[in-house]
Amino acid sequence: MKSVNEYSVEEVENWLQAVGLPTEAFTENVVDGDMLLSLTPEDLMGDLGLSKLQAKKLQSKLEFTKEISEPVVVEDDGSAAMEAQLEGDNTRLKNELADLKAMEAALAAPEPAPAPARAPAPAPAPAPAPAPQRQGPGVVGGAARGAAGGAVKGAIVGAILPGMDAGDGAAAGAAVGAMSGGLRGARNRRRARRF
């Protein structure tokens, strides 16, 4: 906002109209902002023809206008330092979140497929046929092993993710692990029967 002492004659006239005072005498006497600030109550009532009440009103409104047009000086209350600290905390938390998401993705990645079983080496001399070898833990053992591994992974993910606790994560991980372990055991049993 422009300072009162910088008002032109026309701006003084506009200001007087805005506060409800007569303008003619001010325009005729070429009163600008600098002169307006220097006028005494006697000048206002004598030379410019205002009543005592109008002179008081002008001075009151002039003081208010000066107050709102002065630049506000804000002292440093430490908010800049606090803002910088919060920005740093925000960056650190974003980095931690990215790390946690990477860990979550690594934990959710499917387990690598088991290496295919090798065919037994041929015996040097004819011998009685060997008893079929059991490949892997079987369906029940695979389900148990998968449930245990899934429960551990689920508990870790449950502890990391917001809105989920380790118990919920362990239960979900155990269910998924049991299913995948059981399927893996069934697959291994089928492979063992082929040989």
Side-chain angles (χ1 to χ4, degrees):
M1 179 178 232
K2 196 173 190 179
S3 181
V4 176
N5 65 333
E6 297 173 349
Y7 283 6
S8 66
V9 174
E10 185 178 311
E11 288 170 325
V12 168
E13 184 179 349
N14 291 338
W15 180 82
L16 288 166
Q17 286 175 348
V19 297
L21 293 170
T23 62
E24 298 81 26
F26 290 86
T27 305
E28 289 172 7
N29 288 298
V30 192
V31 176
D32 61 5
D34 198 34
M35 183 182 288
L36 182 65
L37 291 173
S38 68
L39 294 174
T40 65
E42 292 78 26
D43 295 332
L44 295 171
M45 292 183 288
D47 296 335
L48 297 170
L50 297 181
S51 68
K52 187 174 182 180
L53 186 60
Q54 288 175 325
K56 282 186 176 185
K57 181 178 180 180
L58 185 140
Q59 288 181 323
S60 170
K61 298 293 183 180
L62 191 56
E63 282 302 312
F64 176 75
T65 303
K66 284 183 351 187
E67 285 177 19
I68 65 170
S69 66
E70 290 177 4
V72 178
V73 177
V74 177
E75 293 182 27
D76 183 17
D77 59 355
S79 62
M82 184 182 293
E83 182 180 351
Q85 179 184 355
L86 289 173
E87 287 292 331
D89 289 347
N90 189 23
T91 301
R92 181 183 51 79
L93 289 172
K94 283 181 181 179
N95 292 337
E96 285 181 22
L97 180 62
D99 292 344
L100 290 174
K101 284 184 178 183
M103 287 174 54
E104 176 188 11
L107 290 173
E111 293 182 27
R118 292 192 222 184
Q133 293 181 344
R134 186 171 180 156
Q135 301 288 325
V139 176
V140 175
R145 185 179 288 170
V152 170
K153 290 178 185 174
I156 293 170
V157 170
I160 292 172
L161 292 176
M164 187 175 193
D165 65 12
D168 291 341
V176 172
M179 176 63 80
S180 64
L183 291 174
R184 193 176 304 117
R187 195 176 323 122
N188 287 342
R189 179 177 278 178
R190 244 185 268 135
R191 284 187 189 149
R193 288 184 185 160
R194 288 185 191 158
F195 293 109

PDB file of all heavy atoms in Angstrom, residues 123-142:
ATOM      1  N   ALA A 123      24.638 -96.973 -12.210  1.00  0.00           N
ATOM      2  CA  ALA A 123      25.452 -97.864 -11.375  1.00  0.00           C
ATOM      3  C   ALA A 123      26.473 -98.582 -12.251  1.00  0.00           C
ATOM      4  O   ALA A 123      26.182 -98.964 -13.381  1.00  0.00           O
ATOM      5  CB  ALA A 123      24.558 -98.875 -10.677  1.00  0.00           C
ATOM      6  N   PRO A 124      27.702 -98.781 -11.766  1.00  0.00           N
ATOM      7  CA  PRO A 124      28.716 -99.439 -12.589  1.00  0.00           C
ATOM      8  C   PRO A 124      28.383-100.905 -12.870  1.00  0.00           C
ATOM      9  O   PRO A 124      28.721-101.413 -13.919  1.00  0.00           O
ATOM     10  CB  PRO A 124      29.987 -99.322 -11.772  1.00  0.00           C
ATOM     11  CG  PRO A 124      29.559 -98.925 -10.398  1.00  0.00           C
ATOM     12  CD  PRO A 124      28.190 -98.362 -10.508  1.00  0.00           C
ATOM     13  N   ALA A 125      27.731-101.523 -11.960  1.00  0.00           N
ATOM     14  CA  ALA A 125      27.399-102.934 -12.193  1.00  0.00           C
ATOM     15  C   ALA A 125      25.905-103.083 -11.974  1.00  0.00           C
ATOM     16  O   ALA A 125      25.300-102.360 -11.210  1.00  0.00           O
ATOM     17  CB  ALA A 125      28.154-103.821 -11.208  1.00  0.00           C
ATOM     18  N   PRO A 126      25.339-104.013 -12.675  1.00  0.00           N
ATOM     19  CA  PRO A 126      23.916-104.188 -12.471  1.00  0.00           C
ATOM     20  C   PRO A 126      23.649-104.558 -11.005  1.00  0.00           C
ATOM     21  O   PRO A 126      24.296-105.418 -10.441  1.00  0.00           O
ATOM     22  CB  PRO A 126      23.525-105.304 -13.407  1.00  0.00           C
ATOM     23  CG  PRO A 126      24.788-105.865 -13.951  1.00  0.00           C
ATOM     24  CD  PRO A 126      25.896-104.957 -13.601  1.00  0.00           C
ATOM     25  N   ALA A 127      22.734-103.866 -10.444  1.00  0.00           N
ATOM     26  CA  ALA A 127      22.363-104.110  -9.062  1.00  0.00           C
ATOM     27  C   ALA A 127      20.850-104.089  -8.969  1.00  0.00           C
ATOM     28  O   ALA A 127      20.183-103.632  -9.889  1.00  0.00           O
ATOM     29  CB  ALA A 127      22.972-103.037  -8.163  1.00  0.00           C
ATOM     30  N   PRO A 128      20.357-104.542  -7.871  1.00  0.00           N
ATOM     31  CA  PRO A 128      18.902-104.493  -7.773  1.00  0.00           C
ATOM     32  C   PRO A 128      18.419-103.031  -7.854  1.00  0.00           C
ATOM     33  O   PRO A 128      19.133-102.115  -7.484  1.00  0.00           O
ATOM     34  CB  PRO A 128      18.611-105.088  -6.402  1.00  0.00           C
ATOM     35  CG  PRO A 128      19.920-105.254  -5.715  1.00  0.00           C
ATOM     36  CD  PRO A 128      21.001-105.069  -6.722  1.00  0.00           C
ATOM     37  N   ALA A 129      17.252-102.868  -8.368  1.00  0.00           N
ATOM     38  CA  ALA A 129      16.696-101.518  -8.541  1.00  0.00           C
ATOM     39  C   ALA A 129      16.584-100.832  -7.183  1.00  0.00           C
ATOM     40  O   ALA A 129      16.066-101.413  -6.245  1.00  0.00           O
ATOM     41  CB  ALA A 129      15.331-101.590  -9.201  1.00  0.00           C
ATOM     42  N   PRO A 130      17.120 -99.600  -7.116  1.00  0.00           N
ATOM     43  CA  PRO A 130      17.049 -98.900  -5.839  1.00  0.00           C
ATOM     44  C   PRO A 130      15.600 -98.497  -5.521  1.00  0.00           C
ATOM     45  O   PRO A 130      14.796 -98.287  -6.413  1.00  0.00           O
ATOM     46  CB  PRO A 130      17.922 -97.676  -6.046  1.00  0.00           C
ATOM     47  CG  PRO A 130      17.947 -97.463  -7.511  1.00  0.00           C
ATOM     48  CD  PRO A 130      17.776 -98.819  -8.138  1.00  0.00           C
ATOM     49  N   ALA A 131      15.336 -98.413  -4.260  1.00  0.00           N
ATOM     50  CA  ALA A 131      14.007 -97.979  -3.832  1.00  0.00           C
ATOM     51  C   ALA A 131      13.835 -96.517  -4.246  1.00  0.00           C
ATOM     52  O   ALA A 131      14.792 -95.750  -4.259  1.00  0.00           O
ATOM     53  CB  ALA A 131      13.890 -98.119  -2.318  1.00  0.00           C
ATOM     54  N   PRO A 132      12.619 -96.145  -4.650  1.00  0.00           N
ATOM     55  CA  PRO A 132      12.436 -94.745  -5.082  1.00  0.00           C
ATOM     56  C   PRO A 132      12.793 -93.780  -3.951  1.00  0.00           C
ATOM     57  O   PRO A 132      12.431 -93.996  -2.813  1.00  0.00           O
ATOM     58  CB  PRO A 132      10.958 -94.647  -5.440  1.00  0.00           C
ATOM     59  CG  PRO A 132      10.316 -95.913  -4.987  1.00  0.00           C
ATOM     60  CD  PRO A 132      11.400 -96.902  -4.646  1.00  0.00           C
ATOM     61  N   GLN A 133      13.557 -92.752  -4.339  1.00  0.00           N
ATOM     62  CA  GLN A 133      13.972 -91.755  -3.350  1.00  0.00           C
ATOM     63  C   GLN A 133      12.906 -90.681  -3.231  1.00  0.00           C
ATOM     64  O   GLN A 133      12.311 -90.262  -4.205  1.00  0.00           O
ATOM     65  CB  GLN A 133      15.296 -91.099  -3.767  1.00  0.00           C
ATOM     66  CG  GLN A 133      16.455 -92.047  -3.739  1.00  0.00           C
ATOM     67  CD  GLN A 133      17.737 -91.341  -4.142  1.00  0.00           C
ATOM     68  OE1 GLN A 133      17.699 -90.271  -4.697  1.00  0.00           O
ATOM     69  NE2 GLN A 133      18.847 -91.969  -3.843  1.00  0.00           N
ATOM     70  N   ARG A 134      12.725 -90.282  -2.036  1.00  0.00           N
ATOM     71  CA  ARG A 134      11.739 -89.237  -1.788  1.00  0.00           C
ATOM     72  C   ARG A 134      12.368 -87.882  -2.118  1.00  0.00           C
ATOM     73  O   ARG A 134      13.435 -87.559  -1.640  1.00  0.00           O
ATOM     74  CB  ARG A 134      11.319 -89.284  -0.326  1.00  0.00           C
ATOM     75  CG  ARG A 134      10.214 -88.341  -0.035  1.00  0.00           C
ATOM     76  CD  ARG A 134       9.707 -88.579   1.329  1.00  0.00           C
ATOM     77  NE  ARG A 134       8.643 -87.631   1.543  1.00  0.00           N
ATOM     78  CZ  ARG A 134       7.689 -87.800   2.399  1.00  0.00           C
ATOM     79  NH1 ARG A 134       7.657 -88.884   3.123  1.00  0.00           N
ATOM     80  NH2 ARG A 134       6.755 -86.898   2.541  1.00  0.00           N
ATOM     81  N   GLN A 135      11.679 -87.077  -2.912  1.00  0.00           N
ATOM     82  CA  GLN A 135      12.173 -85.767  -3.335  1.00  0.00           C
ATOM     83  C   GLN A 135      11.482 -84.690  -2.522  1.00  0.00           C
ATOM     84  O   GLN A 135      10.299 -84.475  -2.669  1.00  0.00           O
ATOM     85  CB  GLN A 135      11.885 -85.536  -4.822  1.00  0.00           C
ATOM     86  CG  GLN A 135      12.491 -86.553  -5.746  1.00  0.00           C
ATOM     87  CD  GLN A 135      13.989 -86.385  -5.841  1.00  0.00           C
ATOM     88  OE1 GLN A 135      14.477 -85.281  -5.794  1.00  0.00           O
ATOM     89  NE2 GLN A 135      14.704 -87.477  -5.951  1.00  0.00           N
ATOM     90  N   GLY A 136      12.187 -84.036  -1.651  1.00  0.00           N
ATOM     91  CA  GLY A 136      11.618 -82.926  -0.892  1.00  0.00           C
ATOM     92  C   GLY A 136      10.738 -83.412   0.247  1.00  0.00           C
ATOM     93  O   GLY A 136      10.609 -84.603   0.498  1.00  0.00           O
ATOM     94  N   PRO A 137      10.110 -82.520   0.923  1.00  0.00           N
ATOM     95  CA  PRO A 137       9.368 -82.850   2.134  1.00  0.00           C
ATOM     96  C   PRO A 137       7.966 -83.380   1.895  1.00  0.00           C
ATOM     97  O   PRO A 137       7.276 -83.744   2.825  1.00  0.00           O
ATOM     98  CB  PRO A 137       9.321 -81.525   2.887  1.00  0.00           C
ATOM     99  CG  PRO A 137       9.375 -80.494   1.817  1.00  0.00           C
ATOM    100  CD  PRO A 137      10.244 -81.085   0.750  1.00  0.00           C
ATOM    101  N   GLY A 138       7.465 -83.422   0.691  1.00  0.00           N
ATOM    102  CA  GLY A 138       6.111 -83.881   0.447  1.00  0.00           C
ATOM    103  C   GLY A 138       5.117 -82.733   0.605  1.00  0.00           C
ATOM    104  O   GLY A 138       5.470 -81.593   0.888  1.00  0.00           O
ATOM    105  N   VAL A 139       3.841 -83.053   0.424  1.00  0.00           N
ATOM    106  CA  VAL A 139       2.816 -82.017   0.445  1.00  0.00           C
ATOM    107  C   VAL A 139       2.665 -81.412   1.839  1.00  0.00           C
ATOM    108  O   VAL A 139       2.695 -80.208   2.020  1.00  0.00           O
ATOM    109  CB  VAL A 139       1.462 -82.586  -0.040  1.00  0.00           C
ATOM    110  CG1 VAL A 139       0.367 -81.538   0.062  1.00  0.00           C
ATOM    111  CG2 VAL A 139       1.570 -83.074  -1.473  1.00  0.00           C
ATOM    112  N   VAL A 140       2.517 -82.261   2.875  1.00  0.00           N
ATOM    113  CA  VAL A 140       2.305 -81.754   4.226  1.00  0.00           C
ATOM    114  C   VAL A 140       3.548 -81.040   4.738  1.00  0.00           C
ATOM    115  O   VAL A 140       3.478 -79.949   5.300  1.00  0.00           O
ATOM    116  CB  VAL A 140       1.887 -82.903   5.178  1.00  0.00           C
ATOM    117  CG1 VAL A 140       1.794 -82.406   6.609  1.00  0.00           C
ATOM    118  CG2 VAL A 140       0.578 -83.508   4.737  1.00  0.00           C
ATOM    119  N   GLY A 141       4.703 -81.668   4.514  1.00  0.00           N
ATOM    120  CA  GLY A 141       5.955 -81.036   4.960  1.00  0.00           C
ATOM    121  C   GLY A 141       6.201 -79.734   4.220  1.00  0.00           C
ATOM    122  O   GLY A 141       6.662 -78.753   4.799  1.00  0.00           O
ATOM    123  N   GLY A 142       5.896 -79.696   2.916  1.00  0.00           N
ATOM    124  CA  GLY A 142       6.066 -78.463   2.139  1.00  0.00           C
ATOM    125  C   GLY A 142       5.145 -77.371   2.631  1.00  0.00           C
ATOM    126  O   GLY A 142       5.514 -76.207   2.723  1.00  0.00           O
TER     127      GLY A 142
END
